[in-house]
Amino acid sequence: MTPAPELLIKVNHVAEFLPKRYFLGYAQPTVVEGIFVKKLLIISILTLLSACAKGPDAIAPVPLGDAYTGLSCDQANKTLIAERQTLAALEKQQRNARVGDTVGVFLLLLPVSSITGNDVEGKLATSKGKVIALEQRALSC
């Protein structure tokens, strides 16, 4: 059974007025849409990468000023040694968080370490500030 000739004419007539990119139900992106999608993808990737944990060198210390002027020289030196050990451990943890975020963004498009709380940026900044303040105190002995 073949369709009526009037139906074929109507279908062909409608197809002439449809944009070529939607012909036969297949949507083909135009050049403008393709550029928009690429820009959107680049902006999304840059946004995700900016959410990654910072490297330990990029984190600024918290200024503590004269917070340790009341300590004796012996106490300042002991505290300085302990705080330097803490700082080294926090720097290692922050490097691991940065690597975890980088891998997470490339595999899952999520900064995993920052989301799970492995990013120790605040603690690291405070520890750096303590070391600087303790060093200034130790120099005045």
Side-chain angles (χ1 to χ4, degrees):
M1 176 174 207
T2 60
E6 308 88 39
L7 184 61
L8 287 176
I9 292 171
K10 287 181 182 176
V11 169
N12 288 336
H13 181 70
V14 171
E16 288 176 12
F17 293 105
L18 286 175
K20 297 256 188 226
R21 64 190 191 118
Y22 294 111
F23 188 66
L24 298 177
Y26 295 103
Q28 300 171 354
T30 62
V31 174
V32 174
E33 289 172 339
I35 291 171
F36 175 74
V37 169
K38 287 178 184 177
K39 285 183 180 179
L40 184 63
L41 182 65
I42 289 170
I43 290 171
S44 300
I45 289 172
L46 290 175
T47 302
L48 287 172
L49 288 176
S50 68
C52 289
K54 293 180 184 177
D57 298 335
I59 298 172
V62 173
L64 296 177
D66 298 332
Y68 295 102
T69 54
L71 289 180
S72 68
C73 291
D74 190 39
Q75 286 176 327
N77 286 328
K78 286 180 183 177
T79 308
L80 178 59
I81 291 168
E83 195 58 42
R84 282 184 178 159
Q85 291 172 350
T86 302
L87 179 61
L90 288 171
E91 285 177 341
K92 182 178 179 183
Q93 190 175 353
Q94 185 67 20
R95 274 190 221 96
N96 291 340
R98 183 172 183 175
V99 169
D101 275 355
T102 304
V103 170
V105 166
F106 285 115
L107 294 179
L108 304 173
L109 298 178
L110 292 171
V112 178
S113 294
S114 295
I115 292 172
T116 59
N118 292 338
D119 186 2
V120 291
E121 185 176 342
K123 292 177 184 178
L124 183 60
T126 304
S127 183
K128 282 183 174 184
K130 286 179 182 180
V131 167
I132 291 171
L134 287 165
E135 285 174 346
Q136 288 174 352
R137 174 64 183 124
L139 288 176
S140 66
C141 289

Coordinates of all heavy atoms in Angstrom, one line a residue, residues 59-68 71 75-91 122-140:
I59 N 50.2 29.7 49.7 CA 49.4 30.1 50.9 C 50.2 31.1 51.7 O 51.3 30.9 52.1 CB 49.0 28.9 51.7 CG1 48.2 28.0 50.9 CG2 48.3 29.3 53.0 CD1 47.9 26.6 51.5
A60 N 49.6 32.3 51.9 CA 50.2 33.4 52.7 C 50.1 33.1 54.2 O 49.0 32.6 54.6 CB 49.6 34.7 52.3
P61 N 51.1 33.5 55.0 CA 51.0 33.3 56.4 C 50.0 34.3 57.1 O 49.8 35.4 56.6 CB 52.4 33.5 56.9 CG 53.0 34.4 55.9 CD 52.4 34.0 54.6
V62 N 49.4 33.9 58.2 CA 48.5 34.8 58.9 C 49.5 35.6 59.8 O 50.3 35.1 60.6 CB 47.6 33.9 59.8 CG1 46.8 34.8 60.8 CG2 46.6 33.1 59.0
P63 N 49.4 36.9 59.7 CA 50.2 37.8 60.6 C 49.8 37.7 62.0 O 48.7 38.0 62.4 CB 50.0 39.2 60.0 CG 48.7 39.1 59.2 CD 48.5 37.7 58.8
L64 N 50.7 37.4 62.9 CA 50.5 37.2 64.3 C 51.1 38.4 65.1 O 50.9 38.5 66.3 CB 50.9 35.9 64.8 CG 50.2 34.7 64.3 CD1 50.7 33.4 64.8 CD2 48.7 34.8 64.5
G65 N 52.0 39.1 64.5 CA 52.6 40.3 65.2 C 53.5 39.8 66.3 O 54.3 39.0 66.2
D66 N 53.2 40.4 67.5 CA 54.0 40.2 68.7 C 53.3 39.2 69.6 O 53.3 39.4 70.8 CB 54.3 41.5 69.4 CG 55.1 42.4 68.6 OD1 55.9 42.0 67.8 OD2 54.9 43.7 68.8
A67 N 52.8 38.1 69.1 CA 52.0 37.2 69.9 C 52.8 36.4 70.9 O 52.3 35.9 71.9 CB 51.2 36.2 69.0
Y68 N 54.1 36.3 70.6 CA 55.0 35.4 71.4 C 56.0 36.2 72.2 O 57.0 35.7 72.7 CB 55.7 34.4 70.6 CG 54.7 33.4 70.0 CD1 54.3 33.5 68.7 CD2 54.2 32.4 70.8 CE1 53.4 32.6 68.1 CE2 53.3 31.5 70.2 CZ 52.9 31.6 68.9 OH 52.0 30.7 68.4
L71 N 56.9 34.9 75.9 CA 57.7 33.7 76.1 C 59.1 33.9 76.4 O 59.7 34.9 75.9 CB 57.6 32.8 74.8 CG 56.3 32.2 74.5 CD1 56.4 31.3 73.2 CD2 55.7 31.3 75.6
Q75 N 61.6 28.8 76.0 CA 60.3 28.4 75.5 C 60.0 28.7 74.1 O 59.4 27.9 73.3 CB 59.2 29.1 76.4 CG 59.1 28.6 77.8 CD 58.0 29.4 78.6 OE1 57.9 30.6 78.3 NE2 57.3 28.8 79.5
A76 N 60.5 29.9 73.6 CA 60.3 30.3 72.2 C 61.1 29.3 71.3 O 60.5 28.9 70.2 CB 60.8 31.7 72.0
N77 N 62.3 28.9 71.6 CA 63.0 28.0 70.8 C 62.4 26.6 70.8 O 62.3 26.0 69.7 CB 64.5 27.9 71.3 CG 65.3 29.1 70.9 OD1 65.1 29.7 69.9 ND2 66.2 29.5 71.8
K78 N 61.9 26.1 71.9 CA 61.2 24.8 71.9 C 59.9 24.8 71.1 O 59.7 23.9 70.4 CB 60.9 24.4 73.4 CG 62.2 24.0 74.1 CD 61.8 23.6 75.6 CE 63.1 23.2 76.4 NZ 62.7 22.9 77.8
T79 N 59.2 25.9 71.3 CA 57.9 26.0 70.5 C 58.2 26.2 69.1 O 57.5 25.6 68.2 CB 57.1 27.3 71.1 OG1 57.0 27.2 72.5 CG2 55.8 27.3 70.4
L80 N 59.3 26.9 68.7 CA 59.7 27.1 67.3 C 60.0 25.7 66.7 O 59.6 25.4 65.5 CB 60.8 28.0 67.2 CG 61.4 28.3 65.8 CD1 60.3 28.8 64.9 CD2 62.6 29.2 65.8
I81 N 60.7 24.9 67.3 CA 61.1 23.6 66.8 C 59.8 22.7 66.6 O 59.7 22.1 65.5 CB 62.1 22.8 67.8 CG1 63.5 23.6 67.7 CG2 62.3 21.4 67.4 CD1 64.4 23.1 68.8
A82 N 58.9 22.7 67.6 CA 57.7 22.0 67.4 C 56.8 22.5 66.3 O 56.2 21.7 65.5 CB 56.9 22.0 68.8
E83 N 56.8 23.8 66.2 CA 55.9 24.4 65.2 C 56.5 24.2 63.8 O 55.7 24.0 62.8 CB 55.7 25.9 65.4 CG 54.6 26.5 64.6 CD 53.2 25.9 64.9 OE1 52.9 25.6 66.0 OE2 52.5 25.7 63.9
R84 N 57.8 24.1 63.6 CA 58.4 23.8 62.3 C 58.0 22.4 61.9 O 57.8 22.1 60.7 CB 59.9 24.0 62.4 CG 60.3 25.5 62.3 CD 61.8 25.6 62.2 NE 62.2 27.0 62.1 CZ 63.4 27.5 62.4 NH1 64.3 26.7 62.9 NH2 63.6 28.8 62.2
Q85 N 58.0 21.5 62.9 CA 57.6 20.1 62.5 C 56.1 20.0 62.1 O 55.8 19.3 61.2 CB 57.8 19.2 63.7 CG 59.3 19.0 64.0 CD 59.6 18.2 65.3 OE1 58.6 18.0 66.1 NE2 60.8 17.8 65.5
T86 N 55.3 20.8 62.8 CA 53.9 20.9 62.5 C 53.7 21.5 61.1 O 52.9 21.0 60.3 CB 53.1 21.7 63.5 OG1 53.3 21.2 64.8 CG2 51.6 21.8 63.2
L87 N 54.5 22.5 60.8 CA 54.4 23.2 59.5 C 54.8 22.2 58.4 O 54.2 22.1 57.3 CB 55.3 24.4 59.4 CG 55.4 25.2 58.1 CD1 54.0 25.7 57.7 CD2 56.4 26.3 58.3
A88 N 55.9 21.4 58.6 CA 56.3 20.4 57.6 C 55.2 19.4 57.3 O 55.0 19.0 56.1 CB 57.6 19.8 58.0
A89 N 54.6 18.9 58.4 CA 53.5 17.9 58.2 C 52.3 18.5 57.5 O 51.7 17.9 56.6 CB 53.1 17.4 59.6
L90 N 52.0 19.8 57.8 CA 50.8 20.4 57.1 C 51.1 20.7 55.6 O 50.3 20.6 54.8 CB 50.5 21.7 57.8 CG 49.8 21.6 59.2 CD1 49.7 22.9 59.9 CD2 48.4 20.9 59.0
E91 N 52.4 21.0 55.3 CA 52.8 21.3 53.9 C 52.7 20.0 53.1 O 52.2 20.0 52.0 CB 54.2 21.8 53.8 CG 54.3 23.3 54.2 CD 55.7 23.8 54.2 OE1 56.7 23.0 54.2 OE2 55.9 25.1 54.1
G122 N 43.8 26.8 55.9 CA 43.8 27.7 57.1 C 44.8 27.3 58.1 O 45.4 28.2 58.7
K123 N 44.9 26.0 58.4 CA 45.9 25.5 59.4 C 47.3 25.8 59.0 O 48.1 26.2 59.8 CB 45.7 24.0 59.7 CG 44.4 23.6 60.3 CD 44.3 22.1 60.4 CE 43.0 21.7 61.0 NZ 42.9 20.2 61.1
L124 N 47.5 25.7 57.7 CA 48.9 25.9 57.1 C 49.2 27.4 57.2 O 50.3 27.8 57.6 CB 49.0 25.4 55.7 CG 50.3 25.6 55.0 CD1 51.4 24.8 55.7 CD2 50.2 25.1 53.6
A125 N 48.3 28.3 56.9 CA 48.5 29.7 57.0 C 48.8 30.1 58.4 O 49.7 30.9 58.7 CB 47.3 30.5 56.4
T126 N 48.1 29.6 59.4 CA 48.3 29.9 60.8 C 49.6 29.4 61.3 O 50.4 30.1 62.0 CB 47.1 29.3 61.6 OG1 45.9 29.7 61.2 CG2 47.3 29.6 63.1
S127 N 50.0 28.2 60.9 CA 51.3 27.6 61.3 C 52.4 28.4 60.7 O 53.4 28.7 61.4 CB 51.4 26.2 60.8 OG 52.6 25.6 61.2
K128 N 52.3 28.9 59.5 CA 53.3 29.8 58.9 C 53.5 31.1 59.7 O 54.6 31.5 59.9 CB 53.0 30.1 57.4 CG 53.3 29.0 56.4 CD 53.0 29.5 55.0 CE 53.4 28.5 54.0 NZ 53.2 29.0 52.6
G129 N 52.3 31.6 60.1 CA 52.4 32.8 60.9 C 53.0 32.6 62.2 O 53.8 33.5 62.7
K130 N 52.8 31.5 62.8 CA 53.4 31.1 64.1 C 54.9 31.0 64.0 O 55.6 31.5 64.8 CB 52.8 29.8 64.7 CG 51.4 29.9 65.2 CD 50.9 28.6 65.7 CE 49.5 28.6 66.2 NZ 49.1 27.3 66.7
V131 N 55.3 30.3 62.9 CA 56.8 30.2 62.7 C 57.5 31.5 62.6 O 58.5 31.8 63.2 CB 57.1 29.2 61.5 CG1 58.5 29.3 61.1 CG2 56.7 27.8 61.9
I132 N 56.9 32.4 61.8 CA 57.4 33.7 61.6 C 57.5 34.5 62.9 O 58.5 35.1 63.2 CB 56.6 34.5 60.5 CG1 56.9 33.9 59.1 CG2 57.0 36.0 60.5 CD1 56.0 34.4 58.1
A133 N 56.4 34.5 63.7 CA 56.4 35.2 64.9 C 57.4 34.6 65.9 O 58.1 35.3 66.6 CB 55.0 35.1 65.5
L134 N 57.5 33.3 66.0 CA 58.5 32.6 66.8 C 59.9 32.9 66.4 O 60.8 33.1 67.3 CB 58.2 31.1 66.9 CG 57.0 30.7 67.7 CD1 56.6 29.3 67.4 CD2 57.2 30.9 69.2
E135 N 60.2 33.0 65.1 CA 61.5 33.3 64.6 C 61.9 34.7 65.0 O 63.0 35.0 65.4 CB 61.6 33.1 63.1 CG 61.7 31.7 62.7 CD 61.6 31.5 61.2 OE1 61.2 32.5 60.5 OE2 61.9 30.4 60.7
Q136 N 60.9 35.6 64.9 CA 61.2 37.0 65.3 C 61.5 37.1 66.9 O 62.4 37.8 67.3 CB 60.0 37.9 65.0 CG 59.9 38.2 63.5 CD 58.6 39.0 63.2 OE1 57.7 39.2 64.1 NE2 58.5 39.4 62.0
R137 N 60.8 36.3 67.6 CA 61.0 36.3 69.1 C 62.4 35.7 69.4 O 63.1 36.1 70.2 CB 59.9 35.4 69.8 CG 60.1 35.2 71.2 CD 60.1 36.5 72.0 NE 60.4 36.2 73.4 CZ 61.4 36.8 74.1 NH1 62.2 37.7 73.5 NH2 61.6 36.5 75.3
A138 N 62.7 34.6 68.6 CA 64.0 33.9 68.9 C 65.2 34.9 68.4 O 66.2 34.8 69.1 CB 64.1 32.6 68.1
L139 N 65.0 35.7 67.5 CA 66.0 36.7 67.1 C 66.3 37.7 68.1 O 67.4 38.3 68.2 CB 65.7 37.3 65.7 CG 65.8 36.4 64.5 CD1 65.3 37.2 63.3 CD2 67.2 36.0 64.3
S140 N 65.3 38.0 68.9 CA 65.4 39.1 69.9 C 66.1 38.6 71.2 O 66.3 39.3 72.1 CB 64.1 39.7 70.2 OG 63.2 38.8 70.8

